[in-house]
Amino acid sequence: MNAPRKLKVATTSLAGCFGCHMSLLDIDERLLELLEFIEFDRSPLTDIKHCGPCDIGIIEGGVCNAENVHVLREFRANCKILIALGACAVNGGLPAQRNHLDLRDILAAVYVTEEGLVPGTQIPNDLELPLPLNHVHPIHEVVNIDYFLPGCPPSGDAIWKFLTDLLAGHTPRLGHGLIRYD
Amino acid sequence: MSETNTFILDDQEIPFTPGQSVMQAALSAGVFIPHLCYHPEFRPHGSCKLCTVKINGRPATSCTTPAAHGMEVESNTPEILDKRRTLVQMLLVEGNHFCPSCEKSGFCKLQALGYELGVMTPRFNLLYPTRPVDASHPDVLLDFNRCILCELCIRASTEVDGKFVFALSGRGIKKHLVVNAESGRLADTNFSLADKAAQVCPVGVILPKRKGFAVPYGERHFDDAPISAHVDEFKPVMPGQEGRS
Amino acid sequence: MKNSDAIGVVLKRHGNDGTRLMQILRETQEALGWLAPATLTVIAAGINWPRSRVESTAGFYSFFHTEPLGRYRVLWSDNITDRMLGNMDLMQAMCEKLWLEPGRVSADGLVSVDTTSCTGMCDQGPAILVNYRAITHMTMERINQMVELIHVQTPLAEWPAEWFKIEDNIRRADILLTNTMAPGEALRISFARGTATEVETSFSERSWHESMQASDIGASATLDEIKKSALRGRGGAGFTTGLKWEACHNAPGRTRYVVCNADEGEPGTFKDRVLLTRQPDLVLEGMTVAAFIIGASKGFVYLRGEYRYLLEPLNAVLAKRRKLGLLGENILGREGFNFDIEVHLGAGAYVCGEESALIESLEGKRGVPRNRPPYPVTNGFLNQPTVVNNVETFASAALIAAKGGDWYRSFGSARSTGTKILSVSGDCERPGIYEYPFGVTVRQVLEECGAHDTQAVQVSGPSGICLNRDEFDRRIAFGDVPTAGAFMIFGQQRDIFEVVRNFVHFFAHESCGFCTPCRVGTTLLKNLVDKIADGNGTRTDIDEIFHLNRLLQTTAHCGLGHTACNPLLYTLEKFRPAYERRLKLLKFVPAFDLDAALSQARQMTGRDDAGAHLEPQSEVAQ
Ligand SMILES: Cc1cc2nc3c(=O)[nH]c(=O)nc-3n(C[C@H](O)[C@H](O)[C@H](O)COP(=O)(O)O)c2cc1C
Ligand code: SF4
Ligand code: SF4
Ligand code: SF4
Ligand code: FES
Ligand code: FES
């Protein structure tokens, strides 16, 4: 009997705090169990820089700059299933609290009018730096998302339940205590 | 109480006292119907629509509809649950709800209903309204970002406290809470932390200062069980009474 | 005069009565320009209301401003018919000449320009309101002159009089619009009725008759005529008028009220304006007949704020009727029949046409629909039994009171008796007012108003129904195509999607915000439709529209929310290509332009390299 093909999973952190990835590691020894069924493609947990064709893409964090958009699109183009992991991916989270401010005012405040700046400090225009978007967006506003797992971060148990449901072929159902917005 | 005063709610027979609403009767019988603007101590309001049921096949708000003998009420059907889920999603995108930084988290009815109904996604694009907080009052913070416009604070301040501290202004999606002061600041009203209005907000708008995240995760009000299991807390104060007037 | 003195005068005029808050706010604003925070405080003290409640009311209505909006406030009527006449270009041109952006006040605080919901001048647009005075037939030439007058701050009273001329444009008149009855005639006949032996009474009628004084027989016999006529309400819902009046008469209460709904807010409707201009006596007489029948002592005409210019003429007619003994105490000498009418002006809120919201507004509050039951007939104005009827309903009732139910039934069809006044606008040669017996076909109306190559007709406004070419043989009647009066015609050259978009924006603007589904849902719908308009729509968005519709239809609190999706539903069914040709093939496209989302960062960094741009989603695989 052939062992079933391992599912390819890619993960990334956009405008997030990495808390969700920490939580993913928080599923502890069960991670090993999980690795019997999945293998990681591009992920901060691996060294792979670009996402190849994958079964599942897991996105932490919202979209706050041009690079986030590119990465998110790469994931969408390559992943059959895309999951928004954590509060920031689901509704923008903390970074989105800047959304009621004008980006120009923020940039000016940080790089021009802030006290104690080195004289001559300018708003960086380095070509290497991704430009920030006018507003922070949850990822479902930028590409189509198949599943959402809220929580800041979602607990290791929630992630475990979610992924194992998915691997088993059911629509993930988190019961009381696992579904959390904080 | 006569034998004849019952109606059917999702295949269960619910007794009621004449004058009770479908909501009151259901809660008294220990059956939870989701709600946000209903409060056991106040007259029904009928605005959040979370309590929508089908009565004899027609949609109605259970908090405003008087119970009648022989009614057939549907509540826990996939169709109605889907509507309630969408209503919660609407409220979540209408305001700015970042639960991780909200002191009400774990005590919040909107959040608890989100969990109860399995709301995993905002579904819509977020509206991110700009709603400045009012920190002027020495004892209370008003964080309007989370207001769901249920008018409970208004009703409490008007009917119980007799102070009229809160009211609504604006219309449609621009509707918002205002306070009873020319300056628009809570500090310039006669509001007090002891007011009934300081206690009724189902979400995290009217918050006592210097309390912070006092209760650890796991011990907060709705941590132990889904809101539907807390049904006893919502029972009408006096069965058969329409609340305060 | 000091501000507080000016407010004092207004307060005094209204006896410091809080239920008259709408009028107090309007008159104060007319005197002071806007409703400053301190002004609201003075008013609140004057009527002895909490300040928060006064602010609550002031903040609800579009025509009250709690921020200064300029000495000249120009509002462009933004119905689709105004758009078809080029109002957006004209408004843009006006803004350029005034150096301001729509929605903003000029730097010197002199003038602001914005849009407003349909002002009811669809047959003579593009229309505007300047300081809430209607001006029609806007042209570039008028704009040039107007900008000049604003610059030199010429008072409105000195602007060219012909600008303020409102046409009646009556193209087809029937029993209502040809009426020549002398004021008081319907009342005299009603008083006299039933004194003869001809009254045949059915069992149910008898029960009422028995409860009556002998002197009430005329009232009950007149009600019989109204019932016999089978008159149904002309405001939209089509409730049988006789039953409503009877229920109100039978409801227990201290005082009874008669309210004429002249809010006429449904875009594309303007027939009540013409009735109030040409047949005010007939309408007021209908109200007085209603008062006679139900035993009311007080009446209101709830006139939409857009028709501010009708206030003085209507007050003049009321004064004349008082003089003639048709209003006031012992009307026409009838002992104990005391009834008077007052005009209450609205302030820009479509939802106030809904009868219970209207009553809230009459009481000085926010125009929010009440929980029903109880209905106004038992618990209306100040919680007393109240009948609310449309202008045209009262006018028809006056005719019936004079000429009898059988006479009335000889017009129209068996189930839709009498005539219906249509407000015809859009792509036709002769827009205006057409009164037809019920049962007229859509095609006949189109022919008579000179509409050619018609693609669609929107009957009864945005909340009504959209008919396509295959349906032009349908009839205007309760059982077929019911209508509150609007009849907007769209020629083949029009983009139906733009029509719908205009309507969806209307609902979002007019939602009162009481209930969650409508408050949030109408805005979400607006965003979805804009997304499709911007070329970012997908089939997923169409599915979402249907989903939202099911929610609004079943859970919204009032008719506004229930019908807010109608324009989308009817046109998705009948004009689907108008949507499809805008849709992307993709399953999903963002609602916003990602490249534009980098605009502020580009501006601040001065970058314009490839990395400072994002290509649109359509070029990226999904
Ligand atoms: C949102 C909304 C707006 C309405 N606007 C009007 C209106 O402008 N004029 C009107 O006569 N009825 C309007 N109605 C209908 C009234 O609620 C009410 O049915 C009507 O005034 C009764 O009068 P009738 O029986 O003579 O038609 C509206 C209803 C709704 C739900
Ligand atoms: S009010 Fe409730 S839903 Fe909103 S942020 Fe606070 S806890 Fe979350
Ligand atoms: S502050 Fe709280 S109680 Fe008051 S309306 Fe808002 S959500 Fe309701
Ligand atoms: S449906 Fe709309 S207009 Fe009607 S009560 Fe609800 S929010 Fe107000
Ligand atoms: S990204 Fe996971 S907690 Fe914010
Ligand atoms: S609980 Fe019934 S409408 Fe809010």
Side-chain angles (χ1 to χ4, degrees):
Chain A
M1 208 170 68
N2 283 345
R5 179 179 74 81
K6 284 193 179 182
L7 294 179
K8 266 202 171 180
V9 178
T11 78
T12 190
S13 175
L14 306 177
C17 65
F18 235 78
C20 295
H21 272 83
M22 299 307 285
S23 212
L24 184 59
L25 296 175
D26 238 15
I27 63 179
D28 297 330
E29 69 282 9
R30 286 172 295 184
L31 194 56
L32 296 174
E33 207 178 307
L34 204 58
L35 284 174
E36 290 183 21
F37 303 101
I38 67 169
E39 59 183 326
F40 282 106
D41 191 46
R42 170 187 168 147
S43 167
L45 313 173
T46 67
D47 263 350
I48 306 170
K49 286 281 174 279
H50 283 282
C51 176
C54 282
D55 297 291
I56 299 175
I58 299 179
I59 314 281
E60 165 191 311
V63 179
C64 81
N65 63 31
E67 196 211 351
N68 294 158
V69 175
H70 289 303
V71 175
L72 184 59
R73 284 175 167 178
E74 179 183 303
F75 268 71
R76 181 67 280 182
N78 284 292
C79 303
K80 291 185 199 158
I81 291 173
L82 212 53
I83 302 172
L85 180 67
C88 306
V90 169
N91 67 11
L94 211 65
Q97 309 238 20
R98 81 152 154 97
N99 279 356
H100 58 271
L101 302 174
D102 189 292
L103 177 66
R104 287 165 295 198
D105 296 341
I106 302 177
L107 290 173
V110 174
Y111 294 106
V112 185
T113 56
E114 172 83 357
E115 274 181 53
L117 287 175
V118 182
T121 306
Q122 286 187 345
I123 298 171
N125 58 3
D126 195 322
L127 296 189
E128 297 295 300
L129 287 177
L131 289 184
L133 299 174
N134 298 353
H135 295 288
V136 177
H137 296 272
I139 61 174
H140 75 273
E141 295 187 7
V142 179
V143 299
N144 183 47
I145 299 297
D146 303 297
Y147 294 96
F148 297 80
L149 177 49
C152 188
S155 66
D157 287 346
I159 298 177
W160 170 255
K161 171 81 164 83
F162 193 89
L163 290 179
T164 48
D165 273 1
L166 213 56
L167 293 178
H170 339 129
T171 308
R173 284 249 172 274
L174 303 183
H176 180 75
L178 293 183
I179 167 167
R180 282 230 322 252
Y181 301 158
D182 60 3
Chain B
M1 219 175 295
S2 107
E3 282 290 296
T4 56
N5 285 331
T6 61
F7 62 88
I8 304 293
L9 174 60
D10 290 339
D11 296 334
Q12 192 175 337
E13 193 161 6
I14 308 282
F16 68 93
T17 12
Q20 269 189 325
S21 64
V22 170
M23 168 79 81
Q24 287 173 319
L27 293 173
S28 301
V31 179
F32 180 73
I33 298 179
H35 57 265
L36 283 167
C37 68
Y38 161 85
H39 185 290
E41 293 172 52
F42 294 95
R43 269 175 305 181
H45 194 244
S47 62
C48 74
K49 305 294 171 190
L50 256 294
C51 71
T52 298
V53 291
K54 268 192 181 173
I55 298 179
N56 300 332
R58 290 177 55 119
T61 41
S62 56
C63 68
T64 59
T65 310
H69 180 69
M71 273 179 169
E72 290 190 22
V73 184
E74 291 167 58
S75 176
N76 266 317
T77 66
E79 181 198 340
I80 292 169
L81 291 175
D82 176 66
K83 292 193 201 311
R84 292 180 184 151
R85 213 170 282 131
T86 310
L87 290 168
V88 167
Q89 287 166 321
M90 285 179 162
L91 290 170
L92 289 174
V93 300
E94 181 189 22
N96 296 308
H97 294 272
F98 300 113
C99 299
S101 50
C102 178
E103 290 171 33
K104 193 79 173 193
S105 193
F107 298 85
C108 167
K109 277 197 176 178
L110 176 62
Q111 185 189 63
L113 282 175
Y115 297 170
E116 169 87 28
L117 294 163
V119 174
M120 305 283 277
T121 147
R123 177 172 197 134
F124 306 106
N125 286 8
L126 280 84
L127 300 182
Y128 294 122
T130 297
R131 298 182 183 170
V133 300
D134 178 350
S136 64
H137 195 275
D139 302 321
V140 175
L141 176 81
L142 292 182
D143 190 337
F144 297 114
N145 286 295
R146 304 162 185 147
C147 181
I148 55 167
L149 304 160
C150 68
E151 298 188 36
L152 272 167
C153 58
I154 301 175
R155 289 180 272 162
S157 189
T158 307
E159 297 168 22
V160 183
D161 307 326
K163 287 188 181 180
F164 309 93
V165 170
F166 297 105
L168 290 172
S169 189
R171 182 173 85 204
I173 197 73
K174 294 188 183 144
K175 189 169 84 162
H176 60 275
L177 207 59
V178 294
V179 301
N180 192 20
E182 190 175 307
S183 65
R185 286 158 24 112
L186 188 65
D188 297 327
T189 69
N190 56 351
F191 186 68
S192 132
L193 193 52
D195 287 357
K196 183 75 181 170
Q199 275 122 53
V200 290
C201 183
V203 293
V205 182
I206 307 175
L207 298 166
K209 283 187 173 172
R210 294 174 299 278
K211 194 161 153 256
F213 297 84
V215 186
Y217 276 31
E219 294 169 29
R220 301 169 309 175
H221 192 72
F222 292 118
D223 281 343
D224 65 336
I227 188 169
S228 54
H230 287 253
V231 56
D232 287 351
E233 293 160 24
F234 313 123
K235 282 191 180 170
V237 230
M238 280 205 281
Q241 285 219 335
E242 280 280 292
R244 254 174 239 277
S245 48
Chain C
M1 189 157 54
K2 286 216 335 264
N3 282 0
S4 54
D5 296 342
I7 305 169
V9 171
V10 174
L11 284 167
K12 196 160 166 222
R13 183 152 60 233
H14 293 285
N16 293 62
D17 177 358
T19 65
R20 309 181 59 87
L21 180 57
M22 293 279 294
Q23 308 314 307
I24 293 171
L25 289 172
R26 179 180 54 79
E27 290 172 21
T28 305
Q29 180 171 286
E30 281 180 5
L32 303 180
W34 67 295
L35 299 167
T39 304
L40 296 184
T41 307
V42 176
I43 292 176
I47 59 174
N48 199 18
W49 275 24
R51 188 188 182 285
S52 52
R53 283 183 59 192
V54 173
E55 182 175 355
S56 202
T57 298
F60 184 85
Y61 298 89
S62 296
F63 291 179
F64 292 149
H65 5 123
T66 49
E67 268 158 36
L69 286 173
R71 286 188 46 204
Y72 295 90
R73 174 137 174 81
V74 181
L75 291 171
W76 287 80
S77 174
D78 198 17
N79 188 21
I80 184 66
T81 51
D82 297 288
R83 289 221 165 188
M84 284 156 45
L85 294 165
N87 72 335
M88 285 294 110
D89 290 343
L90 291 171
M91 180 172 86
Q92 204 50 49
M94 181 181 228
C95 285
E96 276 161 27
K97 286 184 190 299
L98 289 166
W99 290 90
L100 48 74
E101 275 174 53
R104 296 283 174 82
V105 190
S106 61
D108 54 4
L110 180 64
V111 53
S112 62
V113 176
D114 209 341
T115 55
T116 188
S117 298
C118 177
T119 60
M121 302 290 164
C122 318
D123 56 338
Q124 44 203 300
I128 63 172
L129 298 173
V130 181
N131 295 351
Y132 309 104
R133 296 299 174 131
I135 298 179
T136 61
H137 291 302
M138 285 302 289
T139 56
M140 251 341 275
E141 201 189 317
R142 285 196 171 178
I143 288 177
N144 288 334
Q145 275 177 277
M146 201 175 282
V147 166
E148 206 37 54
L149 291 172
I150 291 173
H151 275 314
V152 301
Q153 306 198 23
T154 309
L156 222 55
E158 293 164 28
W159 288 20
E162 74 267 18
W163 289 3
F164 300 93
K165 217 183 111 235
I166 310 295
E167 295 157 5
D168 296 332
N169 291 334
I170 296 175
R171 316 282 186 184
R172 189 182 196 286
D174 211 306
I175 49 175
L176 287 169
L177 292 167
T178 57
N179 163 59
T180 53
M181 211 161 54
E185 200 169 324
L187 278 172
R188 278 192 195 90
I189 297 172
S190 300
F191 291 169
R193 188 173 278 124
T195 44
T197 49
E198 32 131 339
V199 213
E200 278 279 334
T201 53
S202 69
F203 179 74
S204 65
E205 284 156 357
R206 198 153 43 224
S207 66
W208 184 28
H209 294 165
E210 278 158 10
S211 72
M212 287 187 145
Q213 313 282 325
S215 64
D216 285 342
I217 292 201
S220 87
T222 303
L223 179 70
D224 289 347
E225 293 301 327
I226 303 280
K227 285 162 87 177
K228 202 187 289 169
S229 76
L231 174 66
R232 294 172 67 172
R234 302 301 194 230
F239 195 81
T240 308
T241 307
L243 293 182
K244 187 188 273 187
W245 292 8
E246 184 171 53
C248 188
H249 172 272
N250 292 343
R254 261 181 292 116
T255 324
R256 269 158 240 283
Y257 297 93
V258 175
V259 178
C260 173
N261 189 341
D263 197 47
E264 192 154 69
E266 192 76 45
T269 320
F270 45 89
K271 48 103 188 166
D272 293 341
R273 156 170 68 76
V274 175
L275 270 174
L276 289 170
T277 308
R278 293 288 277 263
Q279 295 285 349
D281 270 301
L282 193 64
V283 177
L284 299 171
E285 186 124 342
M287 290 177 71
T288 315
V289 167
F292 174 56
I293 291 176
I294 68 168
S297 54
K298 174 92 208 202
F300 295 96
V301 176
Y302 190 104
L303 182 68
R304 70 186 307 220
E306 288 80 350
Y307 297 165
R308 166 72 185 77
Y309 75 97
L310 281 175
L311 179 61
E312 286 82 11
L314 280 174
N315 277 336
V317 178
L318 287 171
K320 178 200 74 185
R321 290 182 70 87
R322 276 178 211 116
K323 245 199 199 123
L324 292 175
L326 303 174
L327 287 174
E329 310 222 318
N330 305 325
I331 289 175
L332 286 180
R334 195 172 175 97
E335 195 67 33
F337 180 31
N338 308 328
F339 179 69
D340 211 330
I341 298 176
E342 192 181 317
V343 182
H344 169 111
L345 210 66
Y350 163 66
V351 68
C352 286
E354 195 282 338
E355 56 185 12
S356 65
L358 183 149
I359 290 170
E360 289 282 295
S361 181
L362 271 180
E363 293 179 358
K365 299 188 258 177
R366 299 163 62 80
V368 174
R370 294 175 174 175
N371 279 312
R372 281 147 300 149
Y375 292 90
V377 283
T378 56
N379 302 69
F381 183 66
L382 303 178
N383 214 24
Q384 298 304 306
T386 303
V387 294
V388 181
N389 280 110
N390 178 255
V391 173
E392 192 180 347
T393 312
F394 281 121
S396 308
L399 283 185
I400 296 162
K403 306 190 180 185
D406 284 331
W407 170 82
Y408 192 76
R409 292 178 71 104
S410 68
F411 304 91
S413 61
R415 302 229 340 265
S416 303
T417 57
T419 61
K420 181 76 197 94
I421 305 181
L422 301 178
S423 318
V424 175
S425 64
D427 293 314
C428 64
E429 286 159 10
R430 290 174 298 280
I433 290 293
Y434 291 76
E435 183 184 3
Y436 285 104
F438 267 110
V440 63
T441 63
V442 170
R443 187 177 310 283
Q444 186 183 340
V445 181
L446 287 172
E447 272 161 18
E448 296 189 10
C449 71
H452 310 290
D453 210 11
T454 302
Q455 178 181 190
V457 180
Q458 182 76 24
V459 183
S460 209
S463 67
I465 154 170
C466 185
L467 301 176
N468 67 14
R469 272 194 286 191
D470 301 335
E471 299 170 287
F472 292 168
D473 288 320
R474 291 180 64 180
R475 292 175 188 279
I476 302 292
F478 287 103
D480 193 352
V481 183
T483 178
F487 194 98
M488 290 184 272
I489 303 167
F490 304 107
Q492 209 54 54
Q493 75 278 24
R494 303 294 173 186
D495 183 347
I496 294 295
F497 180 81
E498 281 306 322
V499 175
V500 173
R501 186 165 169 225
N502 179 263
F503 293 166
V504 170
H505 277 245
F506 166 77
F507 286 121
H509 184 257
E510 297 297 341
S511 163
C512 84
F514 174 74
C515 67
T516 311
C518 172
R519 183 179 70 241
V520 187
T522 51
T523 289
L524 295 176
L525 280 167
K526 177 179 112 175
N527 293 348
L528 279 170
V529 171
D530 286 349
K531 181 183 178 189
I532 297 172
D534 291 343
N536 294 326
T538 63
R539 296 205 173 255
T540 317
D541 298 311
I542 303 285
D543 291 344
E544 192 61 74
I545 289 172
F546 284 114
H547 180 254
L548 284 171
N549 168 57
R550 284 191 294 275
L551 184 77
L552 264 80
Q553 275 186 342
T554 50
T555 64
H557 180 67
C558 83
L560 191 153
H562 293 148
T563 57
C565 288
N566 281 1
L568 287 159
L569 288 186
Y570 283 115
T571 54
L572 272 166
E573 183 192 326
K574 299 176 190 176
F575 298 93
R576 203 159 171 119
Y579 292 79
E580 280 163 346
R581 59 169 177 262
R582 288 185 158 76
L583 296 186
K584 287 264 153 58
L585 287 171
L586 301 170
K587 183 170 173 213
F588 177 88
V589 175
F592 57 98
D593 176 350
L594 277 154
D595 190 54
L598 290 173
S599 61
Q600 296 180 358
R602 276 197 296 266
Q603 182 190 338
M604 296 303 276
T605 59
R607 280 179 55 182
D608 200 23
D609 55 293
H613 287 279
L614 283 164
E615 71 275 28
Q617 194 92 353
S618 52
E619 291 158 32
V620 182
Q622 275 276 303

